[in-house]
Amino acid sequence: LIDRAVLGVPGTPFAKVMTRSLAFSDYDSLLLMNFKNNRHVRMVIGLVQMAWDSTEGSGFLAEPVNEPSPPILIQAGLGDATVPTGAAEALARGFGARVLPNRPRDIYGLNETVEIRPGNAQMGDVVLTEFLFEKEFAMLPKNDVFGVDNGVHVCLRIDHMAIEQIKVFVTTGEILDICEEDQCIRESIGC
């Protein structure tokens, strides 16, 4: 039914995404009216995660997955304050994704692959392409506070190379290594 899929700036599990997302800051303030500190908020969200597991990405990734998935292209942005890149990497590891040779950094638990050409794409092929937005990545908080909206979550979707990779993948099934020239490193968002 579905020949291929693109996941743009995704992440899982929801409890990890939510508590690290810029979009959660208002909810965090509301929850802190009922709980003593953020540790208690995160414990409750971790418990609620069990109810979400059957309906979100991390639940789908749990064994046994008996249905073959179509080839999937995942694109994520280092520096995203809305969906942390670690959540996209967790999703990629759950899918058993691979990474292309030219990339901004190595990712724990993901092996390298070659470009996927129309003739060699197979069911279950999953590839993660990460883009590094240096200025925004450097500005992410290093401690347990919320970042500021930096546009990476939206701008990655309109990056000309990311669009080209999606266009070729959707029309032919080929996953291009679009990072050959610049390792997918951007000085800053360009939108």
Side-chain angles (χ1 to χ4, degrees):
L1 184 60
I2 297 174
D3 292 336
R4 53 190 69 95
V6 176
L7 302 177
V9 289
T12 196
F14 191 63
K16 180 177 184 173
V17 174
M18 186 169 62
T19 57
R20 290 164 177 79
S21 172
L22 168 68
F24 182 67
S25 61
D26 292 335
Y27 297 107
D28 188 52
S29 298
L30 289 172
L31 288 167
L32 285 173
M33 291 179 184
N34 293 305
F35 298 102
K36 187 172 182 173
N37 60 41
N38 271 327
R39 184 178 310 128
H40 299 134
V41 169
R42 292 211 173 151
M43 287 171 33
V44 168
I45 290 172
L47 291 171
V48 173
Q49 175 68 42
M50 290 185 282
W52 288 326
D53 280 342
S54 62
T55 61
E56 66 129 6
S58 64
F60 173 76
L61 297 172
E63 290 292 338
V65 176
N66 295 326
E67 298 177 18
S69 65
I72 299 171
L73 170 62
I74 302 172
Q75 292 180 333
L78 291 162
D80 189 345
T82 304
V83 176
T85 310
E89 293 169 359
L91 178 69
R93 278 191 289 277
F95 270 123
R98 296 171 288 160
V99 291
L100 296 165
N102 299 293
R103 58 189 180 276
R105 65 182 184 148
D106 289 334
I107 303 167
Y108 174 78
L110 299 183
N111 296 320
E112 193 172 290
T113 188
V114 295
E115 289 183 327
I116 295 182
R117 301 287 180 190
N120 68 355
Q122 300 176 11
M123 293 300 277
D125 278 340
V126 181
V127 174
L128 169 65
T129 300
E130 274 190 335
F131 296 78
L132 171 60
F133 296 90
E134 292 179 310
K135 178 182 171 191
E136 291 75 15
F137 185 69
M139 293 175 56
L140 287 176
K142 306 289 187 253
N143 52 13
D144 199 17
V145 297
F146 297 106
V148 297
D149 187 9
N150 59 22
V152 170
H153 192 73
V154 173
C155 290
L156 174 59
R157 299 168 196 216
I158 58 174
D159 181 273
H160 69 283
M161 294 304 290
I163 291 171
E164 182 64 21
Q165 187 183 39
I166 291 171
K167 183 173 79 175
V168 170
F169 176 63
V170 169
T171 56
T172 69
E174 180 178 359
I175 299 180
L176 298 176
D177 188 355
I178 58 169
C179 302
E180 283 183 283
E181 290 182 26
D182 62 4
Q183 304 336 104
C184 285
I185 297 173
R186 312 290 187 262
E187 188 176 313
S188 183
I189 59 172
C191 66

